[in-house]
Amino acid sequence: MNWKSQKQRAIKAFEDFLSTPLETQLQQHLNTQTSVALSLFHDVAANVPAYKAFLAARAINPATIQSLEEFQKLPAIAKENYILRYPLADLCRNGQLAGCDMIAASSGSSGKPTFWPRFFTDELQIATRFEQIFHDSFYTDARRTLAVICFTLGTWVGGMFTTNCCRYLASKGYPLTVITPGNNKEEILRVVQELGSAFEQVVLLGYPPFLKDVIDTGIARGVEWQEYQIKFVMAGEVFSEEWRSLVGKRVGSQNPCYDFASLYGTADAGVLGNETPLSICIRRFLAENPDAARALFGESRLPTLVQYDPCSRFFEVQDGALLFSGDNGVPLVRYDILDTGGIISYDAMLQFLAEWGFDPVAELQNESQNSARGVHSLPFVYVFGRSNFTVSYFGANIYPENVTVGLEQPGIQEWVTGKFVLQVKEDADKNRFLSVVVELAPGVEGSEDQREAIASSILSQLLRLNSEFANYVPAEYQTPQVALAAMGDAEYFPVGVKHRYTRK
């Protein structure tokens, strides 16, 4: 390994990051996106032993790939046919793991945990995603900000990656201070109460259900969240706009488009895209207009909607699956992450919304102090997540997102944590029924009246949002059988385990 060249690579990348204005960075895609994908392919084909072998085994000569059309005919790579087939070092440039300075592990939610090496320079391009959020949404360039890292710290990608990226923003001149309690709820509450008043705003970064638990626990203990100008950066799960409104209300948020941002991130390649004030504004309109959402996305459930930079992560759609290419410690070319979704250009999105009588840019101009903030002509990617998280009931695909909205309705939301387990079961006569086990909020014992109200709320949202459910499932089988479980129930909601919302 040439340590001198590694040092020079780090110095140049950091200088570029520190000296390049955010707006300049976000405009580079306007004339370079195709060449970025092709350039990455040729670099990886020449310098990554595993990808060389992958192409050779399929009799593909890299020199023949000279256009985007040819690039898009290349076989996709995935964990099964690529990542797990080759030694870890061979997945890195020049077959050298020493070219990376850190290794993260995936959560293992889809199988055995996977290791992902990366170098300092890989984090800098992800730091630009955080800069988008902290600059465009939270105005951190003008507000002293405390960033509280609530992601789990350790080998998992979220905590350490987020911490590093936030510190790079401080190096760039943002008045940003980082503290890392991780997912220790008691420490988070102590940090906010003892340090929060010294800053103009406090940003909580973590997984949505955990952050809601932090907020609710704080309220129960008398924490006056509105005193701290709370903002949220989230990752890991699709959530509803009802959830965003509910959590926003509990912390005194006045403008959800500028107080929240969700990341589309993975252990495989860091952050692939991020919510912007514009994407949130659009998603909130679509949540209120299910017919428009169905026309745009082709499904009844509302996906995560983010914008992405094609110079950093180049997306494609193949048979409904999202593929992306991006440079990392393990460079990935046409990688199938097993997420379903699609891509929409900036112009196509605004044209579609105009046909439905909505102008999100004008809407944001009415809400923000500076109309330019949060509006960039970046393309959109929407993500439904892993298709295997659905359950099939009378031929209808039932999505956890549909049930979630039912639990977030007024009157219901005070009783529950938001966690549930969705299953299709059979009774003694082998008749199928929809089972929903719901976790009760702390201090709530659960009554028959509450159980019936929850079942009714879930049913009404399934009928409103899921046309397959409304039309495929006979009326006598539509009402879900709801069971209420105490918080932390060992069978359904074990503490410290990544929650799964469906069971087969």
Side-chain angles (χ1 to χ4, degrees), residues 14 26 37 59 93 112-113 164 172 182 191 208 219 258 309 336-337 350 359 387 398 400 419 432 445 503:
F14 200 39
L26 298 182
R93 279 189 177 77
K112 181 181 176 182
N164 291 347
K172 193 166 182 175
V191 161
I219 290 172
Y258 284 88
D309 181 354
D336 185 354
I337 199 173
L350 294 192
D359 182 348
S387 56
I398 311 296
K419 288 184 181 178
R432 305 189 78 186
E445 293 187 8
R503 292 185 185 180

Side-chain angles (χ1 to χ4, degrees), residues 317-322 340-341:
V317 180
Q318 184 171 286
D319 300 325
L322 288 171
T340 58

Side-chain angles (χ1 to χ4, degrees), residues 160-386:
M160 297 301 295
F161 217 131
T162 302
T163 300
N164 291 347
C165 289
C166 288
R167 294 191 72 191
Y168 302 148
L169 295 188
S171 298
K172 193 166 182 175
Y174 287 88
L176 177 64
T177 303
V178 183
I179 190 165
T180 55
N183 63 341
N184 182 328
K185 186 164 60 173
E186 297 299 325
E187 188 69 359
I188 294 166
L189 292 171
R190 186 178 74 86
V191 161
V192 172
Q193 289 178 282
E194 293 191 19
L195 297 177
S197 59
F199 296 84
E200 293 174 85
Q201 61 184 357
V202 174
V203 180
L204 302 179
L205 303 97
Y207 296 114
F210 178 72
L211 293 182
K212 179 178 181 294
D213 184 28
V214 169
I215 297 303
D216 291 347
T217 302
I219 290 172
R221 296 185 187 179
V223 176
E224 300 287 347
W225 289 111
Q226 61 272 15
E227 293 181 7
Y228 304 109
Q229 297 298 310
I230 298 292
K231 308 290 187 288
F232 297 94
V233 176
M234 301 162 297
E237 295 188 18
V238 180
F239 54 84
S240 70
E241 289 306 318
E242 286 87 349
W243 185 95
R244 197 191 313 261
S245 296
L246 167 65
V247 175
K249 181 179 179 182
R250 290 184 180 177
V251 298
S253 167
Q254 300 298 311
N255 193 338
C257 293
Y258 284 88
D259 292 342
F260 291 79
S262 186
L263 305 168
Y264 174 27
T266 71
D268 317 51
V271 178
L272 306 178
N274 55 279
E275 280 192 328
T276 62
L278 181 63
S279 75
I280 294 172
C281 183
I282 292 169
R283 192 173 189 261
R284 291 178 74 78
F285 167 78
L286 295 170
E288 292 292 324
N289 294 272
D291 290 343
R294 267 192 291 273
L296 184 61
F297 302 126
E299 294 202 22
S300 64
R301 52 182 175 154
L302 196 62
T304 294
L305 178 66
V306 302
Q307 289 183 278
Y308 70 97
D309 181 354
C311 286
S312 175
R313 297 291 182 261
F314 182 77
F315 275 101
E316 305 168 71
V317 180
Q318 184 171 286
D319 300 325
L322 288 171
L323 308 181
F324 72 86
S325 302
D327 201 358
N328 315 275
V330 173
L332 299 171
V333 178
R334 307 200 78 230
Y335 183 66
D336 185 354
I337 199 173
L338 301 180
D339 281 339
T340 58
I343 53 180
I344 306 169
S345 72
Y346 177 83
D347 290 340
M349 176 66 85
L350 294 192
Q351 181 178 340
F352 171 85
L353 294 169
E355 292 168 1
W356 285 82
F358 183 63
D359 182 348
V361 177
E363 184 78 12
L364 284 180
Q365 287 173 347
N366 293 332
E367 295 180 11
S368 69
Q369 303 165 24
N370 182 342
S371 60
R373 293 245 178 174
V375 178
H376 302 286
S377 58
L378 294 165
F380 295 83
V381 58
Y382 59 91
V383 191
F384 287 115
R386 309 292 162 87

Side-chain angles (χ1 to χ4, degrees), residues 25-33 309-311 377-379:
Q25 188 70 41
L26 298 182
Q27 289 180 345
Q28 291 180 359
H29 73 97
L30 295 174
N31 30 12
T32 57
Q33 67 178 73
D309 181 354
C311 286
S377 58
L378 294 165

